Amino acid sequence: MKSAEKLVDARDGIAVAAEPLAPVSTEGRTRAAVVKLLLEEGPITAPDIGERLSLTAAGVRRHLDALLESGEAQAINAPAWAHRGRGRPPKMFQLTATGRGKLVHAYDDLAGAAMRQLREIGGEEAIKQFARKRVEAIVGGVEPLHEPGQMEAKAEEIAGAFTSKGFAASIREVGSGVQICQHHCPVSHVAEEFPELCEAELEAFREILGTHVQRLATIANGNCACTTNIPLTIKTGTNRTEEGLA
């Protein structure tokens, strides 16, 4: 195994002092907690992991080293918007496709077979209708946006609806907009074959928010999260910008 210093070093905000190994049962629970945090909030820095889980720097390093070595996690440079101050951008960590593949995806094979049978019986329109019904079941309690200036709050409401269904969704501010980030997708393996599931989600976002939204990445395509960009400002006919709806 590579040395810890080569995988996660002091320049990433982690000390390299040795720490005794914890008992196996505790080690396993802590590793699962780290994986869960990488899933729900990744990319995330090592110091943030330590703070969130009350782990020492050496403890965080040990778990990240193991996940990096097994290919379940990867390190990336922090994006420009997340980097403050001088010096080298900090490393951030997230799950890889291998890491996600080890999580439980219940009934993937059965669901895929059922979708293929549905397409054989009812054609592509049946798949699209099923996809629309599925997303309606997720966001059915979210009312369309009516009040200008409440775009971000409505995006937060959408994220909450998806989180309640196992998508580990959150929002973050980026430039002049916000992004809905779904860090987990219970149907990602099925969506690889049936992109209509993703397309129906995007259309639901547009209908609720009343504005154009753009899907930047999907887990089904191998990205670390399903990311949808939502502008908070739009240009009006008088070249002014207004928040919310035109």
Side-chain angles (χ1 to χ4, degrees):
M1 178 177 175
K2 298 179 181 179
S3 67
E5 289 80 4
K6 290 183 179 180
L7 294 174
V8 187
D9 60 27
R11 291 175 297 175
D12 300 322
I14 304 178
V16 294
E19 179 182 89
L21 291 176
V24 174
S25 59
T26 301
E27 188 84 355
R29 289 195 298 270
T30 304
R31 180 71 49 78
V34 172
V35 169
K36 184 174 185 292
L37 194 61
L38 292 176
L39 169 69
E40 296 180 350
E41 300 193 24
I44 185 172
T45 66
D48 285 343
I49 293 173
E51 181 178 351
R52 294 292 303 277
L53 299 180
S54 299
L55 297 175
T56 65
V60 173
R61 188 193 67 244
R62 184 175 65 251
H63 290 290
L64 288 176
D65 282 352
L67 293 170
L68 290 166
E69 189 75 9
S70 67
E72 296 173 60
Q74 63 182 1
I76 63 172
N77 289 326
W81 58 264
H83 178 48
R84 296 181 176 85
R86 299 179 179 179
R88 193 185 69 175
K91 292 289 185 182
M92 302 185 80
F93 301 88
Q94 62 189 25
L95 287 185
T96 62
T98 298
R100 292 178 182 279
K102 291 188 176 182
L103 300 174
V104 176
H105 293 270
Y107 308 114
D108 277 349
D109 292 341
L110 178 60
M115 293 287 284
R116 287 188 286 274
Q117 183 70 10
L118 177 62
R119 182 167 56 191
E120 182 177 334
I121 295 172
E124 295 300 328
E125 185 56 36
I127 296 295
K128 292 178 181 178
Q129 184 175 354
F130 172 83
R132 286 194 295 269
K133 292 290 186 182
R134 170 187 161 273
V135 75
E136 286 172 7
I138 297 173
V139 298
V142 181
E143 294 292 329
L145 179 66
H146 297 298
E147 295 294 329
Q150 296 299 312
M151 188 77 75
E152 185 172 355
K154 187 59 66 173
E156 184 78 53
E157 191 176 349
I158 292 173
F162 272 82
T163 293
S164 70
K165 298 298 183 180
F167 286 79
S170 62
I171 71 167
R172 64 184 181 190
E173 295 184 12
V174 179
S176 61
V178 297
Q179 293 179 350
I180 296 178
C181 301
Q182 296 157 237
H183 301 279
H184 180 55
C185 177
V187 297
S188 62
H189 291 178
V190 180
E192 292 175 10
E193 184 177 353
F194 297 94
E196 293 88 350
L197 297 172
C198 302
E199 293 165 4
E201 289 180 8
L202 193 61
E203 185 58 34
F205 292 171
R206 289 174 179 148
E207 292 178 356
I208 293 172
L209 297 170
T211 190
H212 173 74
V213 300
Q214 183 180 10
R215 181 57 62 85
L216 303 179
T218 64
I219 294 173
N221 285 334
N223 301 108
C224 68
C226 297
T227 306
T228 305
N229 190 68
I230 303 165
L232 292 182
T233 59
I234 58 176
K235 292 184 178 180
T236 67
T238 58
N239 293 325
R240 294 181 295 111
T241 58
E242 296 181 356
E243 184 179 335
L245 299 175

